[in-house]
Amino acid sequence: MIPQATVDQILDAARIEEVVSDFVTLRRRGASLVACCPFHNEKTPSFYVTPSKGIFKCFGCGKAGSAVGFIMEHEHCSYVEALKYLAKKYHIEVQEREDSPEELAQKQKSESLMLVSDFAQKFFSDNLKTAEGRALGLQYLHSRGLDDNTIARFGLGWAPSAKSALADAAIAAGFKAEYLIETGLCIRYDDGRLVDRFHERVMFPIHSVSGRVIAFSGRTLKSDTNIAKYVNSPETPIYVKSRALYGLYLAKASIARYDRCYLAEGNVDVVSMHQLGIDNVLASCGTSLTEEQIRIIKKFTENVTVMYDGDKAGIHAALRAIGMILKEGMNVRLLLFPDGDDPDSYCRKHTLEEVRSFIASNEEDFLSYMIRVNPLGDGDPLKRAKLINDIADTIALIPDAVKRSVYLSSAAQQLGIEANVILDRISSTKNRLMEEEAKLEERRRRRTEAGLDPDFDAQSPGADQQLPQKAEQLSMDALLVNKAVAPAEKDLLFFMLTHGTEVLDFETDSDYYSGSENDKPLVAEFIRMALEEGNEFLNPALESTYLAYMEAYDEGYSQEEILHRLINSPDRKVAFVAAELSIERYQLTVKAFEDALTTTSTWLVMYVPRAILCYHESRLNYSISELRGQLAQSSDIDRQERILQEMMSLQAALAKVKAKLGR
């Protein structure tokens, strides 16, 4: 068994477009990538990869799934073998063993820390509504030009001045002090007192890629230089600074759609740009940019524009970021704002069109940027030589030979120096980097060998002779055992997988209005209430997917987390169904509906209840058909009468459903 932590690491590292592009040539089409399907012969591409969802789907043969599912289909291997394939591709060590009691306890602890963090975010957010919060925190946020919708969207809040306000509230709510301490939210003094780490600060929650709160950054409003302007959560089992990016959860869809990421320095920069309408922007979480953060960004785009301040520190950070981004095979451009401005202040002074125009006119490639911020006209030959060497060393980091060659020619032209001179430096630098990487790999290998689990023996007899298991060939048609009710069941799952945690905002005169504005149902809960408990779906694969969804829903996972769990489920039928139905299969129809209506909310209010009625209609028709068969086979008069009575009852119910459907 592969430890769950390793499975999570593999799934987080695997980029669907990278995995698929090892086998087919992908071309961008909007927010998706397309190719001719590798699973069947075709001349017109119908194979789509959606990086933001981590899903592939062929509209020709119907195959769909995640990166794991693709490897299983293409390489005809099992789920575990596909995980091992991806682990090897992304250089992740796999040690198979049973979860120890300690590992199980660690999983439970991580979930507890997440729940404590969620509670803290709601506590800080609620405190913006107190007299102190309104006078200090809310007033500050409004003074920075942030409106209430943006404040709520980012979950911003206020940590009260009382030194143990959060601790007291959390303990009263039943949370353990040990978890408050381990999340870094609270500190235990020597005298036993439990006090808050954050107090009298504006709070910025930091989310995971899937949207769960994992840490906080608190800004003081005091001008006292002896007080730290920002206080950040320490690293915890659920928060590793080098792997977190502020705003990624809200930005990732736009980053994939626009195929570009804007990288800012501060939290407020991110929030202000999102509010203005530029929502493919994020920031590193109180640390210098790291390789892990860049690789996370690469999951969504290969194009990054660095937006740092134009002061000395900002320029130094930008130059450092250039090399790191290029080394990952990505494309980098840079943008400096006018003196005295940063993204936040500039966005508050200008309209969306003006900001977009400024970005388009002023962002530049790294070569032009490096030459511009290091002018050659001061006549110092040593400075000139250093600049040429720095540029050559930067170009050497680019893994793509064609890009290296293009930048080499451009650098020689702009610097007024022979290309061969720069090429010699590039070759020398590449050789040095390769030697350093080889030494690093050797050190990693030795450390790994020294720390191997003694119960795991990779060289056990016969280990290399095990034959790969053939992957189960899945198709939606083959999975459906009851074709009569399948369309209605698939429609219900479609709504759950795409909009399950959205509110159904019924009007007060609707038959479905709950009677309270504070008790509006979510899509998934509304569908569950409408189905028969214990016999929700007649198709087992759809039933398993439904139950897996509701299990994760009941455990409090977000919509994205639920979908991620399902499409990467070891149950390949669940994974296939989730991937198949989470894609907008009826794109043209859905788009026509949405274009004709005001909002998605209105669309859901109209079509979720209708989908439920269609489901009940199909179930009633199926039951009546079954009874007809029983009636034809029965020779018992009493039994025939009972069957007829039951049929009449079902037909009456069917007539009511049809009337509601307008049929």
Side-chain angles (χ1 to χ4, degrees):
M1 176 179 176
I2 301 176
Q4 187 59 45
T6 305
V7 174
D8 292 341
Q9 186 181 1
I10 295 168
L11 297 179
D12 286 342
R15 292 182 65 206
I16 183 70
E17 65 273 28
E18 286 184 348
V19 174
V20 172
S21 63
D22 285 345
F23 303 93
V24 297
T25 300
L26 295 170
R27 293 180 174 83
R28 183 161 294 281
R29 182 176 294 173
S32 299
L33 301 164
V34 300
C36 288
C37 181
F39 303 117
H40 78 287
N41 293 325
E42 62 178 7
K43 294 181 179 179
T44 302
S46 60
F47 182 87
Y48 281 69
V49 171
T50 308
S52 60
K53 288 187 176 182
I55 294 173
F56 76 89
K57 164 68 179 177
C58 178
F59 290 92
C61 66
K63 295 188 184 298
S66 63
V68 176
F70 180 86
I71 294 301
M72 290 179 65
E73 290 282 358
H74 198 278
E75 299 299 294
H76 304 287
C77 61
S78 69
Y79 179 74
V80 172
E81 288 165 337
L83 286 174
K84 291 179 179 178
Y85 174 98
L86 293 173
K88 183 177 180 181
K89 175 178 175 63
Y90 289 97
H91 310 292
I92 297 171
E93 182 187 356
V94 174
Q95 297 182 19
E96 294 185 73
R97 62 180 187 277
E98 294 294 329
D99 284 344
S100 66
E102 292 78 12
E103 288 171 329
L104 292 174
Q106 184 59 44
K107 290 181 184 177
Q108 294 171 350
K109 178 193 282 189
S110 294
E111 181 59 27
S112 297
L113 297 181
M114 292 278 196
L115 292 174
V116 170
S117 297
D118 286 337
F119 175 84
Q121 187 276 318
K122 293 173 184 173
F123 173 83
F124 293 139
S125 182
D126 289 343
N127 267 275
L128 276 179
K129 303 170 187 174
T130 65
E132 180 186 88
R134 288 196 305 271
L136 297 175
L138 192 60
Q139 190 278 332
Y140 166 78
L141 293 172
H142 285 167
S143 73
R144 299 299 295 263
L146 304 181
D147 59 37
D148 291 340
N149 288 334
T150 300
I151 293 169
R153 185 168 179 244
F154 280 85
L156 308 184
W158 173 253
S161 56
K163 297 296 176 67
S164 60
L166 172 62
D168 294 341
I171 295 296
F175 291 99
K176 295 181 179 180
E178 63 181 283
Y179 295 139
L180 289 166
I181 295 170
E182 192 153 1
T183 55
L185 288 164
C186 296
I187 301 170
R188 177 80 75 181
Y189 281 179
D190 291 340
D191 59 7
R193 287 183 299 137
L194 189 66
V195 299
D196 300 341
R197 177 182 298 273
F198 304 100
H199 49 84
E200 207 169 356
R201 289 178 178 270
V202 174
M203 299 302 295
F204 296 82
I206 298 169
H207 297 83
S208 67
V209 177
S210 57
R212 301 198 72 179
V213 178
I214 54 176
F216 294 89
S217 179
R219 188 195 192 283
T220 185
L221 303 184
K222 296 179 179 179
S223 57
D224 187 349
T225 56
N226 293 322
I227 298 176
K229 184 176 181 180
Y230 279 94
V231 170
N232 300 314
S233 294
E235 292 207 346
T236 68
I238 61 173
Y239 175 54
V240 179
K241 291 182 181 180
S242 63
R243 300 176 191 166
L245 287 156
Y246 182 75
L248 177 60
Y249 171 61
L250 295 174
K252 60 183 182 180
S254 290
I255 291 172
R257 183 167 63 253
Y258 296 119
D259 195 21
R260 178 162 297 279
C261 171
Y262 294 119
L263 185 61
E265 284 191 281
N267 298 348
V268 180
D269 295 333
V270 173
V271 179
S272 292
M273 292 189 71
H274 274 253
Q275 177 172 282
L276 187 64
I278 301 174
D279 50 7
N280 52 329
V281 57
L282 44 78
S284 56
C285 291
T287 64
S288 298
L289 190 64
T290 67
E291 290 181 358
E292 292 95 332
Q293 290 170 335
I294 295 170
R295 287 168 186 157
I296 291 171
I297 295 172
K298 193 177 180 183
K299 284 177 173 286
F300 305 98
T301 183
E302 293 188 352
N303 302 301
V304 178
T305 295
V306 177
M307 294 179 168
Y308 286 174
D309 295 348
D311 56 15
K312 186 175 181 180
I315 291 174
H316 176 75
L319 292 172
R320 176 180 176 274
I322 287 172
M324 298 178 67
I325 296 171
L326 290 174
K327 189 176 181 180
E328 292 300 320
M330 300 167 70
N331 307 312
V332 60
R333 299 181 71 82
L334 297 105
L335 177 71
L336 292 184
F337 285 86
D339 289 344
D341 271 327
D342 54 22
D344 167 45
S345 62
Y346 194 84
C347 285
R348 284 189 279 128
K349 295 176 186 176
H350 298 84
T351 65
L352 175 60
E353 292 72 20
E354 289 171 342
V355 173
R356 282 180 171 162
S357 176
F358 174 80
I359 293 173
S361 302
N362 291 275
E363 64 176 346
E364 53 191 332
D365 66 77
F366 78 89
L367 182 57
S368 300
Y369 177 86
M370 292 182 71
I371 293 174
R372 186 172 60 79
V373 298
N374 295 278
L376 301 171
D378 58 7
D380 188 331
L382 293 179
K383 289 183 179 179
R384 178 179 172 83
K386 182 180 184 304
L387 172 61
I388 294 172
N389 284 334
D390 287 345
I391 289 175
D393 291 347
T394 303
I395 295 173
L397 297 172
I398 301 174
D400 184 86
V402 175
K403 288 183 183 178
R404 275 202 315 273
S405 179
V406 170
Y407 276 111
L408 167 61
S409 299
S410 181
Q413 182 179 2
Q414 294 186 54
L415 295 169
I417 190 171
E418 292 183 9
N420 287 339
V421 175
I422 301 178
L423 180 59
D424 288 343
R425 174 72 181 200
I426 290 174
S427 300
S428 175
T429 301
K430 282 185 63 64
N431 290 335
R432 174 174 55 81
L433 292 174
M434 291 174 63
E435 290 174 2
E436 291 176 355
E437 185 64 29
K439 291 178 181 178
L440 181 61
E441 274 305 311
E442 180 62 20
R443 287 198 297 270
R444 287 174 179 161
R445 186 187 65 80
R446 288 199 298 266
R447 288 198 301 269
T448 300
E449 289 178 350
L452 276 177
D453 186 335
D455 296 328
F456 176 75
D457 182 8
Q459 304 302 323
S460 57
D464 294 333
Q465 284 71 44
Q466 296 178 0
L467 296 175
Q469 301 176 22
K470 184 177 177 63
E472 184 179 5
Q473 297 299 306
L474 299 176
S475 71
M476 183 61 74
D477 189 63
L479 288 176
L480 301 177
V481 297
N482 190 314
K483 304 292 176 62
V485 299
E489 292 179 348
K490 289 195 292 182
D491 280 347
L492 292 183
L493 271 179
F494 165 76
F495 281 114
M496 294 174 67
L497 291 165
T498 55
H499 301 282
T501 57
E502 294 186 33
V503 173
L504 285 170
D505 192 10
F506 293 113
E507 297 291 338
T508 55
D509 60 349
S510 168
D511 293 340
Y512 305 105
Y513 182 64
S514 65
S516 169
E517 288 295 306
N518 298 320
D519 188 28
K520 295 179 179 179
L522 303 184
V523 170
E525 190 61 38
F526 185 75
I527 291 174
R528 175 161 61 181
M529 290 187 295
L531 305 186
E532 297 177 30
E533 186 174 356
N535 188 25
E536 288 82 359
F537 292 98
L538 296 182
N539 287 282
L542 303 185
E543 169 85 348
S544 297
T545 307
Y546 168 83
L547 294 175
Y549 181 99
M550 294 311 308
E551 180 183 3
Y553 173 89
D554 289 337
E555 291 177 6
Y557 288 99
S558 69
Q559 181 73 10
E560 290 203 11
E561 288 174 317
I562 296 173
L563 184 58
H564 180 74
R565 283 164 61 100
L566 265 57
I567 67 172
N568 288 292
S569 171
D571 185 333
R572 302 317 299 157
K573 292 180 180 179
V574 169
F576 175 82
V577 171
E580 166 78 7
L581 298 182
S582 64
I583 297 172
E584 303 278 356
R585 296 178 301 117
Y586 311 113
Q587 287 179 348
L588 295 177
T589 305
V590 170
K591 188 177 189 307
F593 286 151
E594 292 181 333
D595 287 346
L597 300 170
T598 305
T599 62
T600 300
S601 176
T602 304
W603 176 70
L604 290 173
V605 163
M606 292 180 63
Y607 288 99
V608 170
R610 185 174 181 82
I612 292 172
L613 288 172
C614 290
Y615 162 82
H616 286 308
E617 180 188 30
S618 65
R619 285 294 297 266
L620 288 168
N621 278 324
Y622 174 75
S623 297
I624 292 170
S625 176
E626 289 286 289
L627 288 173
R628 285 199 185 100
Q630 295 176 23
L631 183 64
Q633 295 175 2
S634 176
S635 58
D636 186 318
I637 300 298
D638 291 337
R639 175 161 172 73
Q640 288 178 345
E641 289 182 355
R642 289 195 300 271
I643 292 174
L644 285 170
Q645 289 177 353
E646 188 174 352
M647 287 178 63
M648 291 175 63
S649 175
L650 292 178
Q651 286 170 341
L654 179 60
K656 292 180 181 179
V657 172
K658 286 180 176 291
K660 289 184 177 181
L661 286 169
R663 298 181 182 176

